[in-house]
């Protein structure tokens, strides 16, 4: 924004000083003095960064004098400073219509059109500037960029149609650098990321297109589908609602909305039941989840995990009742210890195994000996760093869930978010723990060691390792041929 303001201010300095508005009679009854007051206030407020207030004065100036090319140009500069390039374009065009040789407006319009990826119209504006001012350096540079962009666009489309998605993505680095406001380029790169199994990057590209293209229901629908496939049903619901805000009768959006809403409601209800210790009802609800969405593995796996959790909770209750009836039964104590381990209650697990071994008078039961050793290892680790707890995920969490939790916490605890030294120090510690947890839990070998009771990042046995990339959970891509999701962008 600041760069736009500086550019606008410099252009004002060049053109306003040399081409001050001529005396006008107010079109809407505004006097010349009133119009001059609005222009002066607009200039001061723009310089002070008070953009909304400046825009209000320029609106009044335009209403008072609809024939002054410079007034439109000034208002366009405010729109640009506010990040509203679409609103600036009509004012720049009006300014050029009123004064065809106004080079500043042509150059500014050409710059916007180039950022929007409209190479042909941008080139026309830059060439018009060079016709009147052949040595204009900025126009020369921008014309070269327009030609470069056109060549890159042709090359990228050719690569895409040949199925070379990696090359298409690579070419779009420069394409989007030149034309960051072009939704079509981001949509094409997002499609490549989807085909290459990187839905998160596709989401990053599609999100700004909802603002860059008017009535972009297609982008909202696809974003909803992507989030849905990744297991983020709340975010999926948010995006599909945005689609319906644009058109409540959109059949594709409404159909997907019904599915997401039903599933999301079931998932939320199941978790509420767990919070209320109503485990059997929660199990029933998760059984319904698997029936509602049998095609996306994430939700089936989640349901199975949470059913397992409920059964563990029930197992602890049942085992406790059995232990009361038969206090010397080592098998009951062993089974309850295993349930405690699944519930990450390691101290209780150790206690049960120790008690169970007391009833193994000859000490011959290997299952009790090995179970106790494992419980003790897990207890030791839990008193140091429990990477699952650091990220707030279950021990059965998949890689997708782990990375999602990591990104959220890393953003929350980034030291740059804190001001005081004490806060920064605490945030740095948490940030390191979060990064360590992600490193261990996304590396299969390191995670296996941790699950076995060994901390792979402990200085005594550190072996290194690292995480990998992020793709579709469980190798599931809903947009591949044969999937149930079909989608097309419609370009104007």
């Amino acid at each position: 924004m600041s760069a736009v303001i500086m550019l606008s201010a410099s252009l004002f300095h060049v053109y306003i000083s040399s081409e001050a508005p001529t005396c006008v009679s107010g079109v809407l009854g505004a006097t010349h003095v009133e119009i001059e007051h609005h222009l002066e206030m607009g200039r001061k407020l723009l310089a002070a960064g008070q953009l909304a207030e400046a825009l209000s004065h320029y609106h009044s100036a335009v209403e008072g004098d609809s024939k002054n090319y410079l007034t439109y140009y000034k208002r366009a500069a405010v729109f640009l400073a506010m990040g509203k390039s679409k609103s600036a374009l009509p004012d720049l065009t009006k300014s050029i219509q009123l004064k065809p040789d106004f080079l500043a407006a042509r150059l500014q319009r050409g710059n916007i059109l180039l950022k929007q990826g409209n190479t042909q119209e941008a080139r026309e504006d830059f060439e018009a500037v060079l016709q009147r001012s052949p040595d204009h350096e900025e126009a020369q540079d921008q014309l070269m960029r327009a030609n470069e962009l056109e060549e890159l666009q042709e090359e990228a489309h050719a690569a895409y149609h040949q199925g070379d998605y990696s090359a298409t993505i690579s070419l779009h680095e420069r394409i989007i650098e030149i034309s960051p406001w072009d939704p079509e380029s981001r949509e094409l790169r997002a499609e490549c990321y989807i085909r290459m199994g990187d839905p998160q990057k596709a989401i990053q590209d599609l999100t700004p297109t909802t603002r860059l293209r008017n009535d972009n229901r297609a982008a909202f629908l696809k974003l909803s589908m992507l989030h849905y496939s990744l297991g983020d049903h709340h975010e999926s619901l948010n995006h599909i609602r945005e689609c319906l805000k644009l058109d409540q009768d959109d059949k594709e959006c409404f159909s997907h909305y019904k599915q997401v809403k039903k599933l999301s409601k079931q998932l939320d209800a199941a978790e509420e039941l767990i919070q209320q210790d109503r485990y059997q009802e929660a199990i029933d609800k998760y059984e319904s989840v698997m029936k509602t969405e049998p095609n996306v593995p994430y939700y089936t796996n989640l349901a199975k995990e949470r059913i397992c959790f409920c059964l563990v909770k029930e197992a602890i209750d049942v085992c406790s009742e059995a232990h009361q009836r038969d206090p010397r039964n080592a098998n009951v104590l062993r089974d309850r210890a295993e349930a405690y381990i699944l519930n990450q209650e390691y101290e209780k697990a150790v206690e049960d195994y120790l008690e169970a071994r007391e009833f193994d008078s000859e000490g011959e039961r290997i299952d009790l000996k090995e179970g106790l050793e494992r419980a003790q290892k897990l207890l030791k680790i839990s008193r140091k760093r429990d990477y699952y707890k650091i990220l707030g995920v279950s021990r059965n969490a998949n890689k997708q869930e782990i990375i999602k939790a990591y990104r959220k916490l890393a953003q929350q605890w980034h030291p740059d978010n804190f001001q005081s030294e004490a806060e920064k120090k605490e945030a740095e510690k948490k940030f390191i723990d979060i990064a360590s947890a992600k490193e261990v839990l996304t590396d299969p070998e390191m995670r296996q060691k941790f699950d076995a009771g060994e901390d792979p990042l402990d200085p005594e046995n550190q072996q290194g390792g690292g995480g990998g990339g992020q793709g579709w959970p469980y190798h599931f891509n809903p947009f591949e041929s044969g999937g149930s999701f079909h989608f097309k962008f419609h370009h104007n």
Side-chain angles (χ1 to χ4, degrees), residues 391-430:
L391 293 183
V393 297
S394 71
R395 297 188 74 85
N396 296 324
N398 60 49
K399 190 174 182 179
Q400 181 73 29
E401 294 170 308
I402 290 164
I403 294 177
K404 179 181 175 182
Y406 161 75
R407 286 179 172 168
K408 182 178 180 180
L409 290 169
Q411 185 177 25
Q412 177 184 345
W413 289 102
H414 196 286
D416 289 348
N417 296 334
F418 300 88
Q419 301 298 323
S420 72
E421 285 302 316
E423 287 178 334
K424 277 185 177 292
K425 191 173 181 180
E426 177 66 19
E428 285 170 4
K429 183 179 181 301
K430 285 186 177 290

Side-chain angles (χ1 to χ4, degrees), residues 57-106:
H57 282 284
Y58 283 124
H59 282 328
S60 298
V62 168
E63 290 172 359
D65 181 9
S66 61
K67 301 298 182 182
N68 191 325
Y69 71 94
L70 204 51
T71 306
Y72 285 101
Y73 179 74
K74 293 174 182 178
R75 187 170 69 175
V78 180
F79 279 129
L80 285 174
M82 298 176 77
K84 298 180 178 180
S85 58
K86 288 181 183 178
S87 299
L89 271 178
D91 275 359
L92 290 170
T93 298
K94 184 66 176 179
S95 182
I96 293 167
Q97 289 172 348
L98 292 170
K99 187 173 176 58
D101 63 346
F102 189 18
L103 303 189
R106 281 200 178 274

Side-chain angles (χ1 to χ4, degrees), residues 387 435-444 446-447 450 455-457:
Y387 297 122
S436 298
K438 183 252 187 184
E439 181 183 2
V440 170
L441 298 183
T442 55
D443 183 281
M446 296 174 77
R447 184 174 181 178
F450 181 73
D455 186 348
L457 296 186

Side-chain angles (χ1 to χ4, degrees), residues 344-347 350 374-390 395 450 453-455:
Q344 300 180 34
E345 296 180 74
Y346 306 121
E347 195 165 346
V350 169
R374 182 160 50 86
Q376 287 171 332
K377 277 186 178 180
L378 291 169
L379 177 60
K380 181 181 177 182
I381 286 178
S382 70
R383 287 172 174 170
K384 292 181 179 179
R385 289 195 296 185
D386 186 329
Y387 297 122
Y388 292 104
K389 285 187 177 180
I390 288 170
R395 297 188 74 85
F450 181 73
E454 175 186 336
D455 186 348

Side-chain angles (χ1 to χ4, degrees), residues 1 20 29 32 83 97 122 147 197 218 221 223 238 260 264 271 281 292 323 333 335 341 367 375 379 396 406 474:
M1 182 184 293
H32 170 71
Q97 289 172 348
N147 293 332
L221 175 59
L223 281 166
N238 290 338
V260 180
S264 186
E271 285 304 306
E281 292 175 72
T292 299
H323 178 57
L333 288 165
D335 292 342
I341 287 174
D367 61 332
L379 177 60
N396 296 324
Y406 161 75
Y474 317 106

